[in-house]
Amino acid sequence: MFKQRTIFFLSVIAIGAMTLGNINAQEKRNRYPVIPYPSILEPAKGSFIINRKTAVLAPELMFKNEQRFLREMLAGYLGGDLPAKKKGNVIVMRFDSGIKAAEGYRLMVNPEQITLRARTPAGMFYAVETLRQLLPVDVEKGKGNSLTISSVKIADQPKFPWRGMMLDVSRHFFSIQYLKKYVDMMALYKMNKLHLHLTDDQGWRIEIKKYPKLTLEGAWREFNNQDTACMKVEKETGNTDFRMDKQHLVNQNGKLKYGGFYTQEQMASFIQYAQSRHVEVIPEIDMPGHMMAAVKAYSYLTCDSTVGSGPGFTNPICPCNPQVLQFAKDIYSEIADLFPSKYLHIGGDEVEKSNWLKSPVCQDFMREMGFTHVNQIQSYFTAQMKTFFKSKGKTLVGWDEISEAGIDSAAVVMFWRSWAGAIPMHASKNKNKLIMSPSGPLYFDATPDINTLADVYNYDPLDEKYRLSDTEKENIMGVQGNLWTEMIPTEERADYMIMPRMTALAEVGWTYRPLYTSYRKRLESHYPRLDDLNINYRMPDIIDVAENNVFVGEKLFFKAAPLKYYTIRYATDGSLPHASSKALDKPLSVKQNLTLKMALFTPSGRRGDVSTLHFVGQQYRKQEPLSNLPEGLDAALYKGSFSATTKIKPTADSTFKVLKVEVPASVKYNEFGLRFKGYIEVPETGIYSFYLNCDDGGVLYIGDQLLIDNDGLHPAKEKGGQIALEKGMHAFKLNYIDGGGGNRLDLKYSIGNEEPKIVPASWFRSKE
Ligand code: ACM
């Protein structure tokens, strides 16, 4: 997977020859924890000290903005403006026409001087952001007399020009203040494209002067099913990040409404803010589907003037009607004037075309145009819009459905349907440029325990699985993380979902080298910085905690925090732990049944995710007085589709013996149930943990006790359970279902703190 990445690195080395310092990799990471990691970083001896006499000089007018950034940051810490002329040591920003990459820069720190070089303001900005990350974290919020920075030589440039983040402001709304914070987070990590998903079925968020009802009506709603789903999570977990954000609630004519929108004036001022941080804002007005908010305000937009839904999605607007096409152009006319971006995003995803098929207007239109497939209507719409955008000097971007029935090669395709992996190749053969934002790794609305930091880091937009030739790979403009906000009603939750995953994506898009171990190590020093910036990032996991724990007599429970910076605190009275709850700084003696809730806390008292652990006192389960049973288990196979093991039909289609827990190779059904029954003989008295990983569902009983419930139709997922067992034989039962699409069934065990292992065949017995 990383072959491409290595080749890129080797080619970057050619941009400048520098001698290697003699510190080891570990020291280098600690001294220079930059994310995304630079193309070339050479440690050097000594350090530079910034104090109130240090001048930040930018002889070229073109870097005034970047100079101001750096001066304000340093002045904030040093508590006073810095001299405008050389008084002590200096930081100099220089134009350098020799730097070929538009966003590239060089940074040199030695005890006498810091020099930043770039050919463009963007390059200079990234030099400043690197310098910022090399300064002590205190520079973000603290105050002091001096800042020390280790000497270094850096030559850097990005792999991809598109390093994007999408924010859906329709499903839940986000303030301009938060958009600025989002841009600040992006800029710190050299991300440069902010795609705003401004409209969808659930809300219209941008003022359009010609159609005022879009925001008068379309920006407001009573609570919908997404709001109530969020409220339910808050109620069940106590996590206030799921509470409806008060700043977006209003009382309209005695009714509580949720919503909001950006005026064009507010948006224009925000765009300037983003521009000064070298973030391009790309607007998306999603058409022709996902338009319910607009359709509710202007019902003539659908072919049958109804506000309904088809089997998949809401009724789209009707491109077969010239008045509707004009509406689309009117909207984009105002959008093109407002957004200076070179790109306009048409959306184009998930269009309910059945609504067009049954419309007489569209049937006539298809006949007139000689269309034989309904997809051609979308192609027609996209082509019309593409030409219109071009007349405004803009390039059309759309979700990958725009390429389904043919698309002009000037359009940019945003790949998202990871299950349709041939799209990048087809689009690329058609000479379309592509942005890679596949669901799965780059959908940041998936919770970080399912779509992990490693998944994001290991995503390779040039993966061989896309089967792109070397020339086709050149059409890949970059990567983008998408934050859909159905289940994200607050700014805190949005922070949590993107951070720190966005830092991993930044390293894919900029560095493009397989440095995961080093990245994880560097990331550790970013957590305090993110705290100082008030970012509600997801803290590192407390690993290897079992939900259900068993003890006999007494158990000493202890977990260390993943980093010294954090403290684990806990509560045992059912409440959530808080900043002054007891710290888990020594082993906790558990002698009675107990539910313990614990979480990481930052030094300032912010709480991470809460883990709930149950401790249950047991006696060792008595062994069954059986001996000399033959090896193996009794198995029974049931052909059919079952949604849970409890739904397996009563009569087996076949019964046979097996030697271990697995799906026998002889089972050729696509959908089936399996039951295993017999005994398990454990070799010593102890507390056993069992782990059942299955696709789809499985349940495990020891004796009469349901030990693991991993039932239902689901992808491979592991669940564990603990039990105190006397040495010897215990009744064993395991039921399993497969609902098709591949199967998995394995059962592991561990005693004490050892690594889990597969339960060996020699432990299983059956009666005859
Ligand atoms: C999408 O996720 N519907 C682009």
Side-chain angles (χ1 to χ4, degrees), residues 350-636:
E350 300 178 325
V351 182
E352 184 57 60
K353 294 169 194 145
S354 64
N355 185 266
W356 292 343
L357 267 182
K358 66 182 188 206
S359 143
V361 183
C362 280
Q363 282 162 9
D364 286 349
F365 182 73
M366 284 180 75
R367 253 192 309 277
E368 203 179 295
M369 300 295 286
F371 291 168
T372 52
H373 196 283
V374 70
N375 282 355
Q376 288 170 286
I377 298 180
Q378 183 165 2
S379 282
Y380 163 81
F381 174 70
T382 313
Q384 287 283 320
M385 297 310 285
K386 189 222 78 175
T387 306
F388 182 69
F389 289 4
K390 192 162 178 223
S391 74
K392 302 274 179 189
K394 309 282 189 181
T395 299
L396 179 141
V397 188
W399 298 112
D400 58 41
E401 286 96 327
I402 63 165
S403 67
E404 259 169 6
I407 177 85
D408 188 282
S409 62
V412 177
V413 174
M414 191 169 267
F415 174 59
W416 75 275
R417 289 178 297 171
S418 43
W419 63 91
I423 289 171
M425 187 184 62
H426 289 308
S428 188
K429 284 201 190 312
N430 192 49
K431 302 206 166 28
N432 293 107
K433 298 264 184 231
L434 281 135
I435 296 151
M436 306 298 269
S437 65
S439 58
L442 301 196
Y443 267 40
F444 289 178
D445 44 303
T447 52
D449 52 339
I450 292 175
N451 175 20
T452 63
L453 212 47
D455 294 340
V456 178
Y457 197 95
N458 292 324
Y459 175 66
D460 182 353
L462 305 181
D463 198 315
E464 294 305 324
K465 75 181 176 194
Y466 296 126
R467 291 185 285 135
L468 301 175
S469 68
D470 286 349
T471 16
E472 284 160 6
K473 281 176 182 160
E474 281 166 21
N475 289 326
I476 306 290
M477 293 167 74
V479 286
Q480 180 171 295
N482 292 335
L483 191 67
W484 300 103
T485 58
E486 286 91 336
M487 291 302 292
I488 302 175
T490 59
E491 299 169 359
E492 288 78 9
R493 188 69 185 166
D495 277 5
Y496 173 94
M497 296 299 268
I498 66 164
M499 291 301 253
R501 285 186 290 188
M502 189 188 78
T503 69
L505 182 63
E507 193 142 315
V508 177
W510 181 286
T511 312
Y512 194 66
R513 279 156 58 196
L515 303 173
Y516 185 65
T517 310
S518 140
Y519 159 76
R520 286 306 296 256
K521 198 73 205 155
R522 279 177 278 129
L523 181 59
E524 289 177 3
S525 71
H526 284 246
Y527 291 125
R529 190 177 295 267
L530 300 182
D531 277 322
D532 279 359
L533 293 169
N534 276 329
I535 294 170
N536 188 47
Y537 66 90
R538 180 178 197 256
M539 294 177 207
D541 289 318
I542 308 173
I543 54 168
D544 294 334
V545 283
E547 200 178 315
N548 293 303
N549 301 270
V550 163
F551 64 95
V552 177
E554 180 185 10
K555 181 183 180 101
L556 290 176
F557 172 75
F558 183 71
K559 274 285 154 199
L563 295 175
K564 280 210 187 77
Y565 176 69
Y566 300 104
T567 307
I568 297 183
R569 297 182 186 279
Y570 67 94
T572 54
D573 61 357
S575 67
L576 298 174
H578 50 78
S580 46
S581 296
K582 279 198 197 118
L584 187 65
D585 46 14
K586 56 180 184 302
L588 176 71
S589 159
V590 180
K591 292 184 187 156
Q592 294 165 359
N593 288 1
L594 191 70
T595 294
L596 178 142
K597 289 182 189 279
M598 66 175 188
L600 280 195
F601 285 81
T602 63
S604 69
R606 184 166 76 84
R607 182 175 64 211
D609 289 346
V610 177
S611 311
T612 302
L613 284 67
H614 304 286
F615 294 87
V616 178
Q618 282 186 355
Q619 301 301 321
Y620 291 107
R621 184 177 190 279
K622 291 265 174 281
Q623 63 156 321
E624 316 262 346
L626 297 164
S627 54
N628 297 326
L629 293 184
E631 288 197 355
L633 290 166
D634 294 313

Side-chain angles (χ1 to χ4, degrees), residues 157-209:
Q157 68 179 75
K159 166 72 177 172
F160 294 106
W162 191 291
R163 303 177 304 279
M165 286 294 293
M166 183 278 277
L167 178 64
D168 165 12
V169 295
S170 170
R171 273 54 178 272
H172 285 108
F173 184 56
F174 293 86
S175 65
I176 288 277
Q177 212 45 43
Y178 186 67
L179 296 190
K180 289 183 178 173
K181 183 182 184 189
Y182 206 82
V183 159
D184 288 340
M185 290 190 272
M186 289 175 65
L188 174 57
Y189 293 99
K190 305 188 175 75
M191 302 289 282
N192 64 353
K193 308 281 179 193
L194 172 62
H195 164 182
L196 284 180
H197 183 77
L198 285 163
T199 65
D200 211 303
D201 296 327
Q202 291 80 1
W204 188 282
R205 307 288 177 216
I206 182 76
E207 175 190 28
I208 300 292
K209 297 197 193 288

